[in-house]
């Protein structure tokens, strides 16, 4: 073992001891020690010289965030790499930035700098904010064609934001504003990559650029998955440090495949697009008259030709869609089977992809030329800035448009895509929204992240399904990759003595239409009105049906959707603190990240296995793809997903080693079906009571 590695191990041991002595009532956790060692070994290259990746499933109570900080940070510092921690939720980011990292810095004896990095779209563009407040015509004309002008309330919010920013009471990022900023207001003033450029003097002091300047001095950066993907899409190393100079910790990693899929998708309307292409023609004349640089001569004429061509082909597509005999479903959606688009559309898609590519090239040249003019002092900033803001917005739209039509033009992809059309009705006329999304994104993560990065630690409480990591490895592009280490860290909980899992006999099968009525009758039997209860439903419809039937029975029920999540939990805790007992009703989405320790949750009821019905076009396409390969979508997608969700739901009960309580599941399929038995075996070893 070389000297540097020995020193790193020594640093880790010392830091661990320091942290232990600073924590009140610290009890050594074997699983945490194991994780620290495994993470350090993986990132140091003990297991594989080049592919330094480990996938960790760590149950509640293992202290995984402290484990990955202690395991990864000393290795990153000694090998002069950046440590980037990516999460899926704001709650976990705040916990790391406000609690875990300051604690580690104060007590571990390791000296390091850390910061939260947010996406560009979390900051204002000062230029846009001031233009919006001064009622600039141009600014308002860029509002999406489908939305109405800002209401008086929204305009008042704009003025408050501008005043607070000018008086230095607000830093200009969305998260530090006390109140929520409506999406419509935010979309008008948010920073975007084309308009807000650092080389322009007027943007030097923009909140976004000030935040970015700090990145270079930091050792640890906390980000979210969306920002990680935004950086990868730009080739890596544009927003964040270069992947080959970075160790990534991807916490809440079970979200990564879905967020990657959303990121890789594209959508655009037909008539709405034709409308803004007409506006682009007028705008490009204005832009051409302001640009001084010789480089942009002639670009305006080429841009006009390309935009006119795109609009002409889009009109042809509009006519094809108006005359087509597609059968739309109740949600006004029509999905192309196997992602195969009719020949007539594919031909037009190629034309539109080419025309938008040309338009994009010309507009980008004009945009860059005008930026150069400002830098050279040939055009005054106050004249150029509004034009650069507007051209930036057109460039963004053209990129999205090109991405969509380029995909529709491709035949026989190696990567399967879901493609569908949604009919829209607004302003007395109709439109079509065309959508495209890759079904599998593992290859994208493999090429852009796993094979480029210096090392990665992926962790979550639920990464395996039915006892293996296969499903996650396939989804995230880690299957068949050499050197990837899969680790399960046991929870320190004494499950058999802390909780009982009860499967009572039920009169009605969950697949039966009468099941909702049965639930309303049976539920009160399994509730403890003097304590904290959480009842999880598989659908909103079923939850609301049961609530209606139970409301007259003098039960203190709090229902997801009737109050905001925060208000719901505050009221629930207040009820318990006053000794009243409380009953929370929610769906699977409420249970994600829900932390109700001790007396705040002692009785959990899961009404049925949380199977997702493949209703979205993406899920339908995924099932179709598995079937076309001879697989069974129910067993290979639906069951593993439901198993993970069931583990997550049951995991709400025990949050600390001192917690205890009861879980009741009213779905007999866990004992009558083969897949049910496999799901039951995936759950922690609670004491079982099967009637």
């Amino acid at each position: 073992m070389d000297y540097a590695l020995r020193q790193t191990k020594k640093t880790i041991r010392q830091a661990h001891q320091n942290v232990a002595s600073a924590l009140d009532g610290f009890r050594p956790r074997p699983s945490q020690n194991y994780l620290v060692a495994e993470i350090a070994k993986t990132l140091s290259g003990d297991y594989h010289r080049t592919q330094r990746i480990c996938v960790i499933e760590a149950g509640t109570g293992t202290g995984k965030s402290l484990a990955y900080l202690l395991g990864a940070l000393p290795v990153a510092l000694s090998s002069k790499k950046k440590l980037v921690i990516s999460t899926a939720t704001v709650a976990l980011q705040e916990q790391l930035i406000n609690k875990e990292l300051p604690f580690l810095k104060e007590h571990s004896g390791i000296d390091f700098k850390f910061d939260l990095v947010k996406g560009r779209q979390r900051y204002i563009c000062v230029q846009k904010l001031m233009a919006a407040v001064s009622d600039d015509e141009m600014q308002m004309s860029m509002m999406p064609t489908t939305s109405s002008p800002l209401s008086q309330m929204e305009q008042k919010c704009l003025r408050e934001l501008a005043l607070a920013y000018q008086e230095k009471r607000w830093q200009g990022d969305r998260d530090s504003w006390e109140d929520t900023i409506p999406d419509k207001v935010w979309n008008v003033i948010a920073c975007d990559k084309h308009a807000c450029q650092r080389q322009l003097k007027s943007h030097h002091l923009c909140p976004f650029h000030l935040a970015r300047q700090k990145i270079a001095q930091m050792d640890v950066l906390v980000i979210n998955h969306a920002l990680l993907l935004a950086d990868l899409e730009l080739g890596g190393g544009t927003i964040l440090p270069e992947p080959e100079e970075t160790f990534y910790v991807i916490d809440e990693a079970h979200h990564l495949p879905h967020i990657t899929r959303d990121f890789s998708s594209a959508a655009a309307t037909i008539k709405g697009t034709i409308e803004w292409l007409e506006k682009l023609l007028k705008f490009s004349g204005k832009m051409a008259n302001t640009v001084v640089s010789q480089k942009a001569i002639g670009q305006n004429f080429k841009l006009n030709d390309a935009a006119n061509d795109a609009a002409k082909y889009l009109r042809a597509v509009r006519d094809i869609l108006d005359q087509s005999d597609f059968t739309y479903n109740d949600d006004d959606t029509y999905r192309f089977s196997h992602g195969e688009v009719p020949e007539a559309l594919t031909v037009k898609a190629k034309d539109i992809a080419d025309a938008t590519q040309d338009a994009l090239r010309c507009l980008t040249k004009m945009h860059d030329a005008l930026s150069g003019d400002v830098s050279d002092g040939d055009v005054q900033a106050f004249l150029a800035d509004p034009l650069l803001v507007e051209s930036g917005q057109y460039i963004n739209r053209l990129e999205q448009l090109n991405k969509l039509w380029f995909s529709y033009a491709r035949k026989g992809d190696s990567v399967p895509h879901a493609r569908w059309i949604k009919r829209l009705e607004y302003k007395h006329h109709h439109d079509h929204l065309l959508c495209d999304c890759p079904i599998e994104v593992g290859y994208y993560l493999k090429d852009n992240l796993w094979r480029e990065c210096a090392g990665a630690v992926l962790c979550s409480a639920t990464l395996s399904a039915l006892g293996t990591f296969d499903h996650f490895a396939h989804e995230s592009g880690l299957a068949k990759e050499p050197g990837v280490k899969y680790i399960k860290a046991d929870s320190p909980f004494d499950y058999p003595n802390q909780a009982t899992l009860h499967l009572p006999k039920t009169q009605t099968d969950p697949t039966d239409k009468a099941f909702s009525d049965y639930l309303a009758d049976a539920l009160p039997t399994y509730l403890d009105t003097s304590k904290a209860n959480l009842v999880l439903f598989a659908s909103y419809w079923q939850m609301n049906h049961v609530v209606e039937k139970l409301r007259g029975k003098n039960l203190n029920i709090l229902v997801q959707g009737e109050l905001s999540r925060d208000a719901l939990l505050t009221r629930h805790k207040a009820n318990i603190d006053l000794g009243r007992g409380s009953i929370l009703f929610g769906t699977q989405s409420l249970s994600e990240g829900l932390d109700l320790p001790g007396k705040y949750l002692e009785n959990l009821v899961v009404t049925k296995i949380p199977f997702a019905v493949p209703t979205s076009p993406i899920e339908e396409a995924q099932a179709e793809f598995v079937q076309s390969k001879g697989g069974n979508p129910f067993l290979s997608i639906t069951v593993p997903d439901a198993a993970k969700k069931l583990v997550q739901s049951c995991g709400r009960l025990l949050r600390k080693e001192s917690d205890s309580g009861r879980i009741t599941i009213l779905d007999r399929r866990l004992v009558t079906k083969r897949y049910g038995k496999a799901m039951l075996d995936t759950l922690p070893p609670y004491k079982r009571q099967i009637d």
Side-chain angles (χ1 to χ4, degrees):
M1 193 193 295
D2 68 351
Y3 175 73
L5 198 58
R6 275 204 305 275
Q7 283 305 103
T8 306
K9 291 195 169 167
K10 209 165 138 187
T11 307
I12 293 174
R13 265 198 303 277
Q14 190 55 56
H16 208 157
Q17 281 164 4
N18 296 347
V19 166
S21 55
L23 277 168
D24 281 347
F26 178 82
R27 293 222 301 280
R29 295 172 176 172
S31 50
Q32 191 180 49
N33 300 348
Y34 170 60
L35 285 183
V36 173
E38 288 298 304
I39 291 167
K41 281 184 194 166
T42 301
L43 296 180
S44 303
D46 279 21
Y47 294 123
H48 196 280
R49 252 194 63 238
T50 51
Q51 194 130 49
R52 304 177 178 195
I53 297 176
C54 60
V55 177
I56 296 169
E57 181 172 88
T60 318
T62 37
K64 68 177 161 54
S65 39
L66 194 57
Y68 62 63
L69 289 171
L70 283 169
L73 183 58
V75 183
L77 292 171
S78 72
S79 50
K80 299 193 169 39
K81 299 276 187 276
K82 298 274 188 188
L83 182 61
V84 169
I85 304 170
S86 183
T87 77
T89 59
V90 177
L92 183 55
Q93 281 189 329
E94 286 174 349
Q95 187 187 321
L96 283 162
I97 284 292
N98 302 328
K99 201 171 129 199
E100 314 267 356
L101 285 161
F103 179 83
L104 192 72
K105 187 174 169 131
E106 190 183 341
H107 300 290
S108 65
I110 303 171
D111 185 31
F112 63 95
K113 293 193 180 103
F114 64 91
D115 202 4
L116 175 66
V117 185
K118 290 185 290 201
R120 195 186 278 272
Q121 67 292 344
R122 303 304 295 173
Y123 297 92
I124 55 162
C125 168
V126 180
Q127 181 73 34
K128 285 191 199 177
L129 177 63
M130 296 314 159
V133 179
S134 65
D135 249 4
D136 189 314
E137 279 296 295
M138 174 292 289
Q139 192 65 26
M140 291 308 155
S141 75
M142 282 310 287
M143 290 284 290
T145 43
T146 46
S147 62
S148 49
L150 296 183
S151 68
Q152 286 201 301
M153 266 280 291
E154 289 164 336
Q155 286 174 348
K156 180 172 172 258
C157 173
L158 258 183
R159 288 192 295 276
E160 283 172 3
L161 292 169
L163 192 64
Y165 182 74
Q166 283 167 314
E167 293 177 352
K168 296 195 164 44
R169 288 183 285 114
W170 176 52
Q171 311 292 277
D173 65 308
R174 192 170 186 174
D175 308 286
S176 67
W177 187 251
E178 293 280 289
D179 207 0
T180 47
I181 302 172
D183 285 345
K184 228 155 130 192
V185 173
W186 190 254
N187 293 339
V188 177
I189 59 173
C191 176
D192 77 81
K193 66 173 183 259
H194 300 292
C196 194
Q197 294 183 320
R198 198 169 154 253
Q199 66 268 37
L200 303 176
K201 217 186 241 116
S202 56
H203 291 283
H204 275 192
L205 297 173
C206 268
F208 168 73
H209 293 299
L210 291 175
R212 281 290 178 272
Q213 282 162 20
K214 283 164 51 188
I215 285 184
Q217 290 113 51
M218 297 300 146
D219 304 301
V220 182
L221 300 170
V222 177
I223 63 167
N224 65 12
H225 296 348
L227 186 62
L228 171 63
L229 289 159
D231 188 53
L232 295 182
E233 192 167 57
L234 296 169
T238 308
I239 308 171
L240 302 167
E242 296 285 345
E244 56 269 28
E245 295 304 319
T246 306
F247 286 143
Y248 295 90
V249 169
I250 296 169
D251 203 338
E252 301 177 308
H254 59 285
H255 287 291
L256 189 64
H258 292 283
I259 293 176
T260 307
R261 204 170 60 186
D262 292 346
F263 221 81
S264 310
S265 54
T269 54
I270 305 295
K271 290 180 185 170
T273 301
I274 295 169
E275 276 178 33
W276 67 255
L277 282 172
E278 281 163 8
K279 286 183 184 163
L280 171 60
L281 294 173
K282 287 189 192 128
F283 166 75
S284 73
K286 241 189 330 188
M287 183 112 172
N289 291 334
T290 316
V291 178
V292 178
S293 167
Q294 294 295 306
K295 287 182 198 148
I297 284 187
Q299 292 303 326
N300 182 33
F301 301 115
K302 288 183 192 164
L303 173 62
N304 282 359
D305 287 346
N308 277 321
D309 283 349
K312 179 178 79 186
Y313 301 134
L314 281 162
R315 283 189 201 96
V317 170
R318 177 194 64 196
D319 297 341
I320 292 172
L321 295 181
D322 283 344
Q323 289 152 22
S324 69
D325 53 358
F326 297 146
T327 24
Y328 290 86
N329 66 12
D330 299 344
D331 196 26
D332 273 330
T333 302
Y334 171 77
R335 185 176 64 80
F336 296 108
S337 177
H338 300 288
E340 286 164 13
V341 178
E343 188 64 33
L345 263 185
T346 310
V347 173
K348 286 285 165 268
K350 187 165 179 358
D351 292 337
I352 298 169
D354 291 344
T356 48
Q357 183 72 49
D358 291 343
L360 190 55
R361 204 178 293 124
C362 300
L363 185 56
T364 306
K365 278 185 183 162
M366 287 167 74
H367 184 95
D368 294 347
L370 186 55
S371 296
D373 288 344
V374 177
S375 298
D376 299 341
D378 296 334
V379 177
Q380 286 179 298
F382 77 91
L383 289 173
D385 271 354
L387 293 170
L388 289 168
V389 167
E390 196 169 352
S391 66
Q393 287 167 320
Y394 280 123
I395 289 171
N396 271 337
R397 288 180 173 196
L398 283 168
E399 282 174 344
Q400 182 75 351
L401 196 60
N402 179 256
K403 188 175 176 183
L404 175 85
W405 288 106
F406 180 71
S407 174
Y408 266 62
R410 276 187 304 200
K411 270 263 187 251
D413 264 2
S414 54
V415 179
H417 278 243
R419 299 189 175 99
W420 68 97
I421 299 176
K422 193 169 167 65
R423 280 192 303 210
L424 307 172
E425 300 288 335
Y426 66 96
K427 285 194 203 160
H428 316 298
H429 62 95
H430 71 279
D431 201 348
H432 293 92
L433 177 73
L434 274 69
C435 307
D436 176 277
C437 177
I439 293 170
E440 306 219 314
V441 290
Y443 70 94
Y444 179 85
L445 291 168
K446 180 182 297 215
D447 292 346
N448 296 292
L449 185 55
W450 312 135
R451 292 189 172 170
E452 297 296 324
C453 69
V457 176
L458 291 83
C459 54
S460 163
T462 45
L463 285 181
S464 66
L466 306 175
T468 78
F469 284 99
D470 296 353
H471 185 57
F472 177 74
H474 174 75
E475 275 192 317
S476 58
L478 289 168
K480 302 194 180 82
E481 284 295 279
V484 179
K485 191 146 175 61
Y486 295 92
I487 299 162
K488 263 190 178 181
D490 297 329
S491 167
F493 294 163
D494 179 2
Y495 285 109
N497 289 317
Q498 282 180 259
T500 300
L501 173 66
H502 182 202
L503 277 174
K505 281 208 159 68
T506 54
Q507 325 263 277
T508 315
D509 195 78
T511 52
D512 197 320
K513 276 198 173 119
F515 187 67
S516 302
D517 288 337
Y518 164 74
L519 275 182
D521 293 338
L523 252 182
T525 320
Y526 304 107
L527 297 173
D528 184 337
T529 49
S530 65
K531 288 185 175 168
N533 302 260
L534 171 64
V535 183
L536 292 174
F537 292 85
S539 76
Y540 264 106
W541 177 86
Q542 200 156 56
M543 174 174 79
N544 292 330
H545 181 85
V546 172
V547 168
E548 262 174 53
K549 298 216 157 203
L550 290 182
R551 273 275 150 91
K553 298 203 172 169
N554 200 17
L555 291 167
N556 194 2
I557 301 177
L558 294 165
V559 184
Q560 180 185 3
E562 289 183 5
L563 291 167
S564 74
R565 185 182 170 114
D566 285 349
L568 208 63
L569 299 181
T570 305
R571 199 169 288 186
H572 170 76
K573 287 177 176 170
N575 283 340
I576 299 302
D577 290 339
L578 292 166
R580 280 190 195 142
S582 181
I583 302 163
L584 258 181
F585 272 22
T587 62
Q588 183 65 33
S589 63
L590 181 78
S591 79
E592 269 277 307
L594 185 66
D595 199 20
L596 292 170
K599 63 177 181 177
Y600 296 120
L601 181 57
E602 294 182 271
N603 188 38
L604 171 66
V605 181
V606 178
T607 55
K608 64 195 266 195
I609 298 170
F611 285 124
V613 188
T615 47
S616 79
I618 299 172
E619 291 164 329
E620 287 174 359
Q622 215 175 0
E624 185 180 67
F625 175 66
V626 169
Q627 235 160 347
S628 73
K629 290 261 185 283
N632 176 334
F634 179 71
L635 292 178
S636 67
I637 304 172
T638 315
V639 170
D641 273 346
K644 270 198 269 197
K645 285 178 183 160
L646 189 64
V647 171
Q648 222 166 29
S649 300
C650 293
R652 296 308 106 203
L653 183 71
L654 304 179
R655 309 305 295 164
K656 292 196 169 98
E657 286 172 66
S658 53
D659 291 357
S660 62
R662 186 176 188 81
I663 301 168
T664 307
I665 304 178
L666 300 173
D667 192 330
R668 294 296 287 183
R669 289 176 294 182
L670 286 174
V671 283
T672 59
K673 301 276 187 211
R674 235 164 92 189
Y675 66 76
K677 290 194 175 82
M679 280 185 181
L680 197 54
D681 292 341
T682 310
L683 293 175
Y686 306 113
K687 181 182 172 192
R688 288 187 187 177
Q689 181 191 337
I690 298 173
D691 298 351

